[in-house]
DNA sequence: CCATCTTTGTGCACGCGTTCACAAAGACAT
DNA sequence: ATGTCTTTGTGAACGCGTGCACAAAGATGG
């Protein structure tokens, strides 16, 4: 079992709180939409509504970046787009590799949201020799054997894992060994990585389970789960719907 | 523009903190794996390691569910699997519809993690008439016109939106009107929904942007973004890598 | 039945994130 | 210039989540 660092102290990078960083892409998206409509300025109130957050939170978030607004007027859309892009590092080009070109991998390869924000799919990699050479989203799939070379040649530092759970850790290890320092993991596994490597995990099943939890709550305790299963079953009570919290987390 | 409730007070459902709910699926996965290996009991330490969390946190999380452990021994795997499943509402069957059968929708339809946890893909829906009848993952795609009927006939309360951004709000409105009260949104849009409807958002592009932020940080301020773009540029300083926080959020 | 050893369950303190509420800053009209 | 009006930027309070550290609970062996 490959044991390694997994937790993260959630150290604040620079002065920008992590929670803020996680919202910046949200603001950026809203701002980009405004920019395309040639809207010159927005108030924190308007932008907050568009991004689906509280305006006070938005202002505080922006305050971490600097004083980019004009009192009595609002924020200059173009300027803010640039500032946030720069802060997020989107003014540069990020070559990305996607490993595991199954349904999900193919979907990711075809996903338009990447290219539009400075991400470039440098290569698609799959362990199935039959896939090799076959173009997906206009990019020929390469075999896993080439992984290290691809990473090296393209200076890839961000890898996306869309393999089955069983292969994920192994792929992860190879990516890291080859120099990748950021991983977006779609496989339902906890990845162990050395310090200095960031892992973000997206788990579809988990998201649904969280929804199910709230759904069950909303349905009330009418039929409170089918009985006659396991004995013992202390505690049971209360109610009250709603509530939400993320399920995508570090490491 | 369909305006509606978007925020959520993050009210604590019952006594279980949202952060805990978000981790339960994680524990469940680890426990299921142990169960398959016929491991009878686990200590909080072992399970925490398997789930990638702190053992104290895990114990506190479980304490919200009840006192299901035995001091000096640990937790009974089977029993805990059942308790968590029940708490998450996975002991019942959740019919789910997926709207938008593009690459991503197809990937979701094929995703095995659903069926294994009480979720059943009741129908696949797409706006393209050419898709109608075509089987994806063994399920024939149905046209959007049938949406309301499908929701109603199958008693669907959870919907997955995998359409392009432009269609998302419209689809969302129809799902909600038809009776869906939980939505998993993959479209890069902020959805407006009435009170009582839960929305969880998964945004691939956002995840990558957050990684890019940290990556940029790790790369140091060597080449601190290409200059010569926008004027003005107050503040600039510090450094320090690492840090992580989720980007999947309510509404 | 008692001693010892393991592991849970939790009281407590700390820090991050959110929100309120308002003073400061600037635009704009007169 | 001066006053009014709008909107930002932030100080401060609060609440949630995390992690420490330990007492209580039970298993196990003699």
């Amino acid at each position: 079992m490959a044991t390694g660092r997994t937790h993260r102290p959630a150290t604040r990078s620079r002065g920008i709180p992590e929670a803020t960083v996680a919202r910046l892409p949200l603001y950026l998206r809203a701002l980009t939409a405004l920019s395309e409509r040639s809207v010159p300025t927005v108030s924190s109130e308007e932008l907050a509504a568009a991004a689906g957050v509280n305006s006070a939170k938005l202002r505080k978030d922006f305050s971490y970046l600097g004083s980019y607004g004009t009192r009595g007027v609002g924020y200059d859309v173009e300027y803010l787009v640039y500032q946030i892009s720069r802060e997020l590092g989107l003014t540069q080009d990020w070559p990305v590799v996607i490993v595991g070109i199954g349904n999900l991998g193919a979907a990711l390869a075809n996903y338009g949201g990447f290219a539009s924000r400075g991400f470039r799919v440098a290569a698609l990699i799959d362990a199935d020799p039959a896939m090799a050479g076959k173009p997906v989203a206009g990019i020929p799939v390469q075999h896993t054997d080439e992984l290290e070379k691809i990473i090296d040649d393209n200076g890839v530092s961000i890898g996306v894992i869309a393999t089955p759970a069983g292969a994920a850790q192994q792929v992860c290890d190879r990516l890291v060994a080859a120099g990748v320092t950021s991983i977006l993991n779609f496989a339902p596994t906890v990845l162990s990585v050395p310090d200095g490597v960031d892992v973000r995990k997206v788990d579809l099943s988990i998201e649904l389970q969280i929804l199910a939890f709230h759904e069950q709550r909303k349905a009330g305790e009418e039929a409170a789960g089918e009985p006659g299963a396991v004995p013992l079953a202390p505690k049971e009570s209360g109610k009250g719907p709603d509530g939400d919290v993320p399920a995508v987390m570090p490491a």
Side-chain angles (χ1 to χ4, degrees), chain A:
Chain A
M1 171 179 296
T3 308
R5 276 272 47 68
T6 292
H7 307 305
R8 199 167 323 286
T11 310
R12 176 163 301 185
S13 316
R14 158 90 137 297
I16 305 180
E18 275 305 308
T20 295
V21 172
R23 280 188 294 268
L24 290 182
L26 216 57
Y27 302 143
L28 183 56
R29 167 132 47 221
L31 285 165
T32 303
L34 291 172
S35 172
E36 279 164 6
R37 291 194 298 148
S38 300
V39 176
T41 60
V42 263
S43 68
S44 63
E45 204 69 51
E46 294 166 332
L47 185 54
V53 303
N54 180 301
S55 71
K57 194 186 297 187
L58 178 143
R59 285 198 300 278
K60 178 143 290 191
D61 282 342
F62 285 174
S63 78
Y64 292 117
L65 307 184
S67 284
Y68 294 157
T70 305
R71 298 177 189 226
V73 177
Y75 299 92
D76 181 281
V77 173
E78 295 300 331
Y79 184 56
L80 206 45
V81 164
Y82 171 75
Q83 289 300 342
I84 295 179
S85 294
R86 191 178 53 83
E87 200 66 54
L88 285 173
L90 304 181
T91 51
Q92 56 187 282
D93 183 72
W94 293 103
V96 169
V97 296
I98 301 176
V99 186
I101 313 302
N103 281 290
L104 181 58
L108 294 171
N110 279 291
Y111 183 53
F114 291 169
S116 65
R117 302 201 206 290
F119 299 101
R120 179 171 49 84
V121 178
L124 303 179
I125 303 176
D126 198 282
D128 182 3
M131 292 284 293
K134 219 177 83 179
V136 171
I139 303 169
V141 176
Q142 295 177 266
H143 190 265
T144 315
D145 291 345
E146 313 290 329
L147 192 146
E148 285 76 10
K149 177 169 165 48
I150 295 169
I151 302 290
D152 202 52
D153 288 355
N154 297 76
V156 174
S157 55
I158 301 180
V160 177
I161 297 180
T163 66
Q169 183 63 59
Q170 193 179 341
V171 167
C172 174
D173 291 342
R174 288 183 62 184
L175 286 174
V176 171
V180 166
T181 48
S182 287
I183 291 177
L184 182 52
N185 178 31
F186 286 89
T189 323
V190 176
L191 293 180
S192 293
V193 295
D195 274 330
V197 176
D198 276 320
V199 177
R200 296 191 69 86
K201 180 167 154 54
V202 176
D203 193 314
L204 313 176
S205 166
I206 284 182
E207 297 298 327
L208 274 187
Q209 288 174 59
I210 295 171
L211 282 178
F213 173 83
H214 294 304
E215 199 58 41
Q216 184 183 37
R217 225 126 266 270
K218 280 184 282 195
E221 261 77 354
E222 313 160 16
E226 47 270 50
V230 175
L232 260 160
K235 275 196 175 182
E236 192 69 52
S237 69
K239 59 174 178 183
D242 230 350
D244 250 305
V245 129
V248 174
M249 60 257 122

